[in-house]
């Protein structure tokens, strides 16, 4: 049996929302190359909703699939809804992740969270 | 889809001649080699024949061959067994920083048992400097274990030079030759070592069988207690079919070694030269010349090995990687780190280990398939995006 579910393979082979948003409203970066995975999320916010979500990921198959899934789950959601995306909910949507991959590669929700917080802190500070 | 197996360092396929040689021992000749009746005789004779075949491959005396269950067992046996047998003389062991886990972790166990272990570094090509070994040797050093070649980056180590140092000082010297026996000429008399590990699944024999060669007169403590199989040095009923297979594979390796090397070396060199020519920011890992005949290993910058491996697999190509994500321990290969590569670069590790079935067309297929895969992953990589911006910003 392959180590990854069909859903993980689908998102790995055909990742959704790869890339960068020009002039993003928020950016969130997590991980580092030492542990093997690194993700950057870019968001565009309109009327308190995630109008667009894009990402770049350095990492294994799981890391890429997680990023893709998070972007898909987050797109169109309100900020509050998107903040509720957790590593567990992402793994469930992907029909499971190998045990050893759960912690290291499942950083997508955290990166999205960081991007939203980045947006909120800029909002608070008054946007340029 | 074209299927190209380039992971022969993980395991080689079983040759049909080897399988044929094994079959009777999975059938009618099922006796226990320790038994004194005809059934036992047949099995015992088969093991004796295999012992000679293996001994001939490495120019050893058949009595010096101990069959084991794997290369890992041979390494455990050598490192722990030799250290334990010599401990009255001292408790210091020298290994290199690039040993296989079966040597490295055996040495860690020795530390828990009160031994001291020193690690010899390697240079950027993964080569152990014999002078560095000499520097680590102390009055109480009772074992040196340095591998013959590393399966992850292919470099062949100067074992003969190191053996000169250990012999002068009468220190037992073990070499893990799992990557070399059966693929390159290995002659224990010439190497000058005292013990040597080998494994069947590295040269078209079965899995689950290996051997430890140990020079006559060198003392070793058995790890398995029980009956007097293997002269009491490795108890347990022998895996007769696997041992027969190992023997046959050894015989075939000896017969065909020169041809295999002649075929594999140009394929390897083509890949080593062409891949970095077709893809930017690719480094060859290991020594450019002193390396295993079918071994081509690289680090591809800005991307991670497992994702490369998976995309290559989707195109029918089987490879390995030393990245953190491909290891169960989630750590980048200690071998690549010991060679001075950064974690970031080590994550992009990819290794192609060729076998006797591979052709020019296989290599061309890899050279054609790799660049778009690398490009695709780089387009996704935040590290590459940062790099591209720096380069553009610099202009």
């Amino acid at each position: 049996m392959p180590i990854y579910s069909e859903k993980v393979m689908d998102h790995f082979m055909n990742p959704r929302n790869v890339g960068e948003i020009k002039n993003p409203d928020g950016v969130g970066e997590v991980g580092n190359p030492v542990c093997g995975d690194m993700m950057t999320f870019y968001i565009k916010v309109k009327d308190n909703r995630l109008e667009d979500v894009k990402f770049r990921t350095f990492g294994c198959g799981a890391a890429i699939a997680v990023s893709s899934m998070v972007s898909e789950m987050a797109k169109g959601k309100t900020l509050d809804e998107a903040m509720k995306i957790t590593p567990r909910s992402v793994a469930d949507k992907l029909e499971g992740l190998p045990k050893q991959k759960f912690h290291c590669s499942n950083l997508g929700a955290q990166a999205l969270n960081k991007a939203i917080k980045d947006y909120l802190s800029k909002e608070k500070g008054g946007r340029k | 889809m074209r299927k190209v197996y380039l992971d022969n360092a993980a395991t080689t396929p079983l040759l049909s001649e080897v399988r044929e040689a094994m079959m009777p021992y999975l059938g009618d000749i099922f006796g226990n080699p320790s038994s004194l009746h005809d059934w036992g005789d047949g099995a015992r004779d088969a093991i004796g024949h295999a012992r000679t075949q293996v001994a001939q491959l490495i120019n050893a005396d058949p009595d010096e061959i101990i069959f084991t269950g794997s290369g890992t067992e041979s390494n455990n046996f050598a490192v722990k067994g030799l250290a334990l047998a010599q401990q009255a003389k001292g408790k210091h062991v020298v290994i290199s920083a690039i040993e296989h886990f079966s040597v490295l972790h055996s040495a860690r166990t020795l530390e828990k048992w009160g031994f001291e272990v020193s690690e010899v570094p390697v240079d950027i090509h993964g080569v152990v400097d014999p002078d560095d070994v000499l520097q680590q040797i102390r009055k109480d050093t009772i074992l040196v274990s340095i591998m013959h070649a590393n399966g992850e980056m292919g470099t062949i180590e100067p074992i003969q030079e190191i053996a000169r140092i250990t012999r002068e000082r009468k220190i037992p010297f073990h070499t893990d030759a799992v990557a070399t026996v059966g693929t390159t000429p290995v002659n224990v008399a010439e190497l000058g070592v005292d013990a040597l590990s080998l494994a069947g699944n590295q040269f078209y024999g079965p899995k689950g069988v290996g051997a430890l060669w140990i020079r006559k007169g060198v003392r070793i403590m058995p790890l398995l207690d029980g009956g007097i199989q293997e002269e009491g040095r490795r108890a347990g009923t022998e895996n007769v079919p696997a041992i027969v297979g190992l023997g046959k594979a050894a015989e075939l390796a000896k017969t065909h070694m020169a041809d295999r090397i002649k075929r594999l070396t140009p394929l390897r060199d083509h890949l080593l030269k062409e891949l970095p020519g077709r893809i930017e920011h690719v480094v060859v890992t290991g020594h450019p010349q002193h390396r295993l005949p079918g071994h081509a290993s690289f680090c591809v910058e800005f991307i991670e090995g497992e994702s490369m491996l998976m995309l290559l697999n989707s195109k029918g190509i089987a490879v390995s990687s030393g990245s953190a994500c491909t290891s169960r321990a989630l750590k980048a290969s200690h071998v690549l780190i010991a060679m001075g590569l950064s974690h970031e670069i080590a994550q992009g590790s990819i290794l192609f280990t060729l076998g006797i079935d591979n052709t020019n067309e296989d290599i061309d297929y890899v050279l054609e398939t790799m660049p778009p895969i690398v490009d695709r992953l780089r387009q996704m990589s935040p590290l590459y995006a940062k790099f591209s911006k720096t380069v553009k910003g610099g202009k």
Side-chain angles (χ1 to χ4, degrees), chain A residues 4 9 12-13 15 18 20 29 33-38 40 56-62 64 100-101 104, chain B residues 302-304 306-307 310-311 314 324-326 328 330 343-344 347 376-377 379-383 385-386 389:
Chain A
Y4 291 130
M9 284 310 291
F12 169 68
M13 295 302 291
V18 174
E20 207 172 310
E29 191 176 292
V34 174
C35 65
D37 294 310
M38 193 175 150
T40 312
R56 282 194 202 281
T57 291
F58 166 90
C60 64
I64 290 169
Q100 75 271 24
K101 299 277 184 185
C104 69
Chain B
F302 313 115
I303 59 177
E304 189 277 327
E306 192 211 80
S307 44
M310 286 172 60
L311 287 175
S314 76
C325 304
T326 44
R328 297 253 163 140
L330 301 174
H343 281 266
E344 194 173 313
Q347 297 297 4
R376 179 172 162 179
L377 290 169
Q379 292 312 317
M380 243 186 264
S381 163
L383 295 174
K386 275 182 193 166
K389 272 178 197 158

Side-chain angles (χ1 to χ4, degrees), chain B residues 45 78 93 99 114 146 175 238 354 390:
Chain B
D45 290 349
V93 174
E99 295 303 312
I146 306 232
T175 190
E238 299 87 341
L354 284 57
T390 325

Side-chain angles (χ1 to χ4, degrees), chain B residues 94-111:
Chain B
V94 176
I95 63 170
S96 85
I98 55 160
E99 295 303 312
H100 186 259
F101 282 142
S102 52
V103 167
L104 200 61
H105 293 170
S106 289
R108 296 281 164 272
T109 298
L110 286 177
E111 283 179 325

Side-chain angles (χ1 to χ4, degrees), chain B residues 13-30:
Chain B
L14 190 74
L15 280 177
S16 58
E17 294 100 309
V18 174
R19 187 171 56 239
E20 289 309 311
M22 292 169 71
M23 286 313 278
Y25 301 91
L26 293 161
D28 292 341
I29 314 177
F30 63 86

Side-chain angles (χ1 to χ4, degrees), chain A residues 6-19:
Chain A
E6 271 178 45
K7 201 86 188 168
V8 171
M9 284 310 291
D10 174 33
H11 277 264
F12 169 68
M13 295 302 291
N14 314 292
R16 287 63 149 171
N17 307 307
V18 174

